[in-house]
Amino acid sequence: MADPSSYRPSPGQIPESPGVYRFRDEHRRVIYVGKAKSLRQRLSSYFQDVANLHPRTATMVTTAASVEWTVVGTEVEALQLEYTWIKEFDPRFNVKYRDDKSYPFLAVTMNEEFPRVQVMRGAKKKGVRYFGPYGHAWAIRETVDLLLRVFPVRTCSAGVFKRSAQIGRPCLLGYIGKCAAPCVGRISAEDHRDLAEDFCDFVAGRTGTYLRRLEQQMHEAAEEMEYERAGRLRDDIGALRRAMEKQAVVLTDATDADLVALAEDELEAAVQIFHVRGGRVRGQRGWVTDKVEALSSADLVEHALQQLYGEEHGEAVPREVLVPALPEPVEPVAEWLTGRRGARVSLRVPQRGDKRALMETVERNAQQSLALHKTKRASDLTTRSRALEEIAEALDLPSAPLRIECFDVSHLQGDDVVASMVVFEDGLARKSEYRRFQIKSFAGQDDVRAMHEVVGRRFRRYLAERRETGEWAVPEEDDEPLETGSRTADGRPKRFAYPPQLVVVDGGQPQVAAARRALDELGVDDVAVCGLAKRLEEVWVPGDDDPVVLPRSSEGLYLLQRVRDEAHRFAIRYQRGKRSKALKEGPLDAVPGLGEARKQALVKHFGSVRRLRAATVEQICEVPGIGRKTAETVAAALAGSSRPVPAVNTATGEIIDDDER
């Protein structure tokens, strides 16, 4: 625990300008990022008597070992830089809103020749129009199913679309009238795009004009005694109205707004957001966070707005944002939101009327979300803590192993030997820290030797990083150049940055001995090692002839099993991926200097590798981007290669001919 006075800068060094500051720990990891209107005033508040600080703030300043700052021109720039650094460094003492699921969006891929309507999760892609998020994917599918009767936009995958185009028959949706079947030319690309635009306009809330147009067409058809057409239009109008009824009007005047509400206690806070578009609730999402620093409601609102709109632009930021408390000062945040939207954004607290009533509904959702989270987490925390304590007691560790790393080796009868490293922190998987290895020092099947190599490589890189920062004096004969896995010079954590308290290997006594030997060779004596054998789920420790047997009902054994199984799954996935890639390689992959784009251009030009093999150098030169030297290399490579063994589609069992590759 550091004394804050040991790294406190003198007041004259700190500027009074607005800026962003970073606290780092003894390993140069960024542990907190903050912004200030006056850096001198804000930083000075951290270096008062520790007893007067909020307990979480006191923990942060005693964990830190240094502080640095960057001066910016305005508070808006400080807000943007703070958000950027929080995303980049992931500081442990900053507020991070955790979401227990990935919310689905209704997406229309306007970046494709034939736009497709589908459910999407994860990061947003350029050229795709998104609506939502929705609480459940089934809600999207129900709405889309109703709308496809009126807007028969393509919903099939690229594979189904291509297959239908090849055989000249549409899929089932094309036959029942829920797809315009652009795959077989029933509708042109331009008309299909217009149909997708109408779909987007309707989902975005511009419903009145379209319904009035359909009603007018229905009446005209009836007057002309085209009763079948009038009946179809009547059914279309009914389908659209049923879709609209699923989203009740909550605000008048076709309001576009986001409502953000909070529920908090001393330790945690829950945030709920309702997205209102065209006066209707189009989506909902929620987050929960630990209050790792002393924060007011206004501070929580500011952090929520950063996370909500930090990656958004244009219409994704609404004209109006309603919050329970205004950030202080409010002007930089409002100006930042305006910059993200490209037009004025109103940030305010609703006081009365429909908006105030809807805000109360959002607040009730936030309170229920916090109560549910606390109920779940109480059980989870108790279970994980008990598991870690049981492991520490069984292995005679000085403290609970808060970071556990597990290694596993995988191969197929000695070929494609790989290994995995998974990381669990506080009993939870930390997938961003997972690593994969290729065994380099030998070929063949030797799990013990592979385990020794992998553990040695992992800790050799860790020691190299510590040597770089001057924290560990490694003998010169053990010098190894830093690999790309080390942390970057500005302190961002990357690979192998932090040591575990416990190393678990998948295997018995031989694997455990190999891992311990690798650590001893590097002089690492503060990391415990154990192995979990699959047959009887015995826990082996170095130097003991008898295993440690944990009760079958032990939470500690269950945690070790989960860690071991996750390492096994990760290793198998990597090994199968390498094997699959090797099976898919063709003769063009062996041509030096031939990239993916030019390989595709060659196959597209000739239609298949077989025809390319029969082509002359002059014919190959006709392909755009292929010079004579490259053409000669390609011809020589194909001439020297025998006809490859036919590839097999593992899903269907079909033989894939050259013409298809």
Side-chain angles (χ1 to χ4, degrees):
M1 184 176 292
D3 182 1
S5 62
S6 64
Y7 63 89
R8 175 178 183 172
S10 60
Q13 291 180 319
I14 309 175
E16 295 184 352
S17 309
V20 183
Y21 53 91
R22 294 178 289 187
F23 282 88
R24 296 178 182 268
D25 64 7
E26 59 180 357
H27 301 293
R28 298 292 295 163
R29 292 174 291 194
V30 176
I31 62 171
Y32 184 74
V33 173
K35 64 175 178 59
K37 184 177 181 180
S38 170
L39 285 169
R40 178 178 300 179
Q41 183 176 349
R42 176 62 60 84
L43 288 177
S44 298
S45 67
Y46 289 102
F47 295 100
Q48 55 182 296
D49 186 356
V50 175
N52 297 330
L53 295 174
H54 187 280
R56 295 178 185 82
T57 306
T59 303
M60 188 274 290
V61 297
T62 53
T63 303
S66 63
V67 63
E68 56 193 39
W69 56 85
T70 299
V71 175
V72 296
T74 64
E75 293 179 63
V76 178
E77 293 179 16
L79 186 72
Q80 181 63 49
L81 184 59
E82 179 193 32
Y83 171 76
T84 302
W85 279 357
I86 289 175
K87 295 289 286 184
E88 180 179 0
F89 295 110
D90 190 23
R92 57 179 291 201
F93 285 101
N94 276 93
V95 167
K96 292 185 285 290
Y97 289 105
R98 300 186 308 275
D99 198 352
D100 61 352
K101 61 181 177 179
S102 171
Y103 286 92
F105 286 82
L106 171 58
V108 185
T109 58
M110 302 303 292
N111 56 346
E112 297 182 6
E113 181 183 6
F114 297 99
R116 175 191 177 194
V117 176
Q118 60 181 316
V119 178
M120 274 193 179
R121 298 176 186 265
K124 294 185 177 180
K125 300 177 181 178
K126 187 176 181 181
V128 179
R129 292 193 64 178
Y130 292 88
F131 304 93
Y134 290 77
H136 303 281
W138 57 260
I140 303 177
R141 296 188 178 99
E142 280 190 358
T143 302
V144 170
D145 187 61
L146 290 170
L147 295 179
L148 286 179
R149 176 184 177 88
V150 186
F151 308 103
V153 187
R154 169 197 163 206
T155 57
C156 61
S157 66
V160 173
F161 186 88
K162 183 178 179 181
R163 178 66 175 169
S164 296
Q166 289 174 340
I167 65 177
R169 294 198 308 270
C171 62
L172 177 62
L173 292 178
Y175 281 108
I176 65 176
K178 288 193 173 182
C179 179
C183 54
V184 294
R186 289 185 185 174
I187 186 173
S188 66
E190 294 76 14
D191 291 340
H192 185 268
R193 180 168 293 274
D194 292 340
L195 198 62
E197 293 283 1
D198 290 340
F199 179 92
C200 292
D201 289 344
F202 190 89
V203 175
R206 294 183 278 276
T207 58
T209 303
Y210 198 82
L211 282 174
R212 285 192 295 271
R213 191 196 328 168
L214 287 181
E215 288 174 350
Q216 182 180 354
Q217 293 174 2
M218 180 184 67
H219 292 312
E220 291 174 354
E223 290 174 359
E224 296 172 2
M225 292 187 292
E226 296 181 4
Y227 299 119
E228 290 186 5
R229 178 167 171 264
R232 285 196 302 271
L233 291 170
R234 177 202 59 203
D235 294 341
D236 290 348
I237 293 171
L240 293 180
R241 284 180 173 159
R242 286 195 300 275
M244 293 170 61
E245 287 169 1
K246 290 180 176 292
Q247 299 169 327
V249 175
V250 293
L251 297 177
T252 57
D253 302 327
T255 302
D256 289 349
D258 283 351
L259 290 88
V260 182
L262 292 173
E264 56 181 311
D265 57 19
E266 293 183 354
L267 299 176
E268 295 174 309
V271 179
Q272 279 288 313
I273 303 101
F274 275 25
H275 303 276
V276 179
R277 299 294 183 270
R280 302 173 185 270
V281 177
R282 300 291 183 181
Q284 173 189 1
R285 67 170 74 177
W287 299 315
V288 179
T289 182
D290 293 324
K291 295 171 71 173
V292 292
E293 51 180 321
L295 293 171
S296 64
S297 296
D299 295 328
L300 288 170
V301 167
E302 182 177 320
H303 286 294
L305 294 178
Q306 282 183 311
Q307 178 151 334
L308 185 59
Y309 301 116
E311 306 292 336
E312 304 292 355
H313 297 278
E315 293 185 357
V317 182
R319 288 191 293 265
E320 194 172 9
V321 179
L322 305 177
V323 295
L326 292 175
E328 297 179 3
V330 68
E331 291 80 10
V333 181
E335 186 178 342
W336 176 70
L337 290 173
T338 298
R340 308 299 298 180
R341 176 177 171 81
R344 183 177 179 275
V345 175
S346 173
L347 180 63
R348 64 187 186 88
V349 180
Q351 301 295 334
R352 63 185 68 84
D354 293 341
K355 293 178 180 177
R356 179 60 205 168
L358 183 57
M359 177 62 82
E360 291 173 356
T361 301
V362 185
E363 288 173 351
R364 285 195 296 272
N365 277 267
Q367 291 165 1
Q368 293 174 1
S369 175
L370 181 61
L372 180 61
H373 171 76
K374 291 180 75 65
T375 301
K376 289 181 177 179
R377 187 171 182 188
S379 173
D380 291 343
L381 276 174
T382 302
T383 302
R384 296 202 309 268
S385 298
R386 184 166 66 250
L388 294 173
E389 289 171 1
E390 288 179 1
I391 292 173
E393 182 178 354
L395 301 181
D396 197 21
L397 303 179
S399 61
L402 299 181
R403 180 180 172 104
I404 300 174
E405 294 180 1
C406 184
F407 296 84
D408 185 27
V409 176
S410 179
H411 55 82
L412 180 65
Q413 297 180 349
D415 295 330
D416 294 325
V417 185
V418 300
S420 67
M421 181 188 93
V422 301
V423 179
F424 275 58
E425 290 188 349
D426 297 330
L428 295 175
R430 189 172 175 86
K431 294 192 176 183
S432 62
E433 299 282 321
Y434 286 13
R435 300 293 174 250
R436 306 180 302 187
F437 301 84
Q438 295 187 54
I439 302 303
K440 302 176 179 179
S441 62
F442 67 96
Q445 181 176 346
D446 191 337
D447 288 1
V448 174
R449 187 176 175 185
M451 187 65 69
H452 177 273
E453 176 186 334
V454 171
V455 174
R457 283 167 58 186
R458 183 263 182 267
F459 282 92
R460 192 173 294 111
R461 296 181 192 182
Y462 164 63
L463 296 181
E465 190 279 327
R466 295 197 69 181
R467 181 178 70 243
E468 186 184 56
T469 59
E471 300 175 50
W472 188 290
V474 182
E476 292 184 2
E477 59 269 18
D478 289 340
D479 274 2
E480 177 177 308
L482 271 176
E483 302 189 28
T484 56
S486 285
R487 188 186 304 120
T488 57
D490 60 359
R492 286 179 293 173
K494 295 193 82 174
R495 301 181 179 179
F496 312 107
Y498 319 129
Q501 285 81 46
L502 175 64
V503 166
V504 180
V505 298
D506 182 10
Q509 203 170 17
Q511 286 84 356
V512 173
R516 183 72 264 174
R517 188 169 69 255
L519 294 176
D520 292 341
E521 290 171 357
L522 296 171
V524 178
D525 56 4
D526 57 349
V527 176
V529 179
C530 74
L532 187 61
K534 289 187 181 72
R535 188 170 65 89
L536 298 175
E537 302 294 16
E538 302 163 326
V539 181
W540 292 89
V541 294
D544 286 358
D545 295 331
D546 298 317
V548 177
V549 180
L550 293 173
R552 286 290 178 178
S553 60
S554 166
E555 290 293 341
L557 177 61
Y558 177 62
L559 177 57
L560 290 176
Q561 287 173 328
R562 283 200 296 129
V563 172
R564 188 268 319 278
D565 293 344
E566 180 69 356
H568 185 65
R569 178 199 66 80
F570 194 54
I572 286 288
R573 181 180 176 184
Y574 181 39
Q575 201 273 336
R576 286 176 177 169
K578 284 178 62 66
R579 190 166 73 245
S580 176
K581 182 179 178 182
L583 289 173
K584 291 178 181 178
E585 288 182 350
L588 288 178
D589 294 316
V591 179
L594 192 64
E596 192 64 32
R598 293 202 288 178
K599 281 192 289 185
Q600 292 179 0
L602 285 167
V603 175
K604 183 177 180 181
H605 181 83
F606 289 100
S608 70
V609 176
R610 182 177 58 190
R611 293 173 184 164
L612 175 59
R613 184 182 283 111
T616 63
V617 173
E618 288 72 18
Q619 291 173 328
I620 297 176
C621 288
E622 295 174 2
V623 179
I626 303 295
R628 185 168 187 85
K629 185 175 181 181
T630 303
E632 292 173 349
T633 306
V634 170
L638 294 179
S641 65
S642 60
R643 181 177 176 84
V645 177
V648 178
N649 184 326
T650 56
T652 64
E654 293 181 274
I655 302 253
I656 303 174
D657 193 16
D658 272 341
D659 291 336
E660 301 179 30
R661 285 191 281 172

